[in-house]
Amino acid sequence: MDAKLLDILVCPICKGPLVLKKDAQELVCKPCRLAYPIRDGIPVMLEEEARRLADTEEV
């Protein structure tokens, strides 16, 4: 994922920064504990498509 794109993308819920998890192909919002998928190189920034992180899952 392009670093410039990562800099401008924010969580659609809290408008906070996102962390790229390359191994899982996800963008993670730490405050909301949501992981947005990246499909075919395109981030899917829809709340209904996001995966809720487990309490034990490391962010």
Side-chain angles (χ1 to χ4, degrees):
M1 170 158 273
D2 184 39
K4 288 182 183 180
L5 180 60
L6 187 57
D7 285 342
I8 62 171
L9 283 177
V10 295
C11 174
I13 299 168
C14 72
K15 309 301 184 238
L18 298 168
V19 177
L20 176 63
K21 289 182 78 176
K22 288 183 183 181
D23 57 328
Q25 285 295 294
E26 294 177 323
L27 292 171
V28 176
C29 176
K30 290 181 181 182
C32 294
R33 299 206 45 86
L34 292 174
Y36 297 94
I38 299 172
R39 296 188 186 127
D40 297 323
I42 301 169
V44 181
M45 302 304 296
L46 300 171
E47 182 179 1
E48 54 271 3
E49 292 288 326
R51 176 178 69 84
R52 182 147 312 271
L53 298 175
D55 292 336
T56 58
E57 195 168 350
E58 195 67 32
V59 179

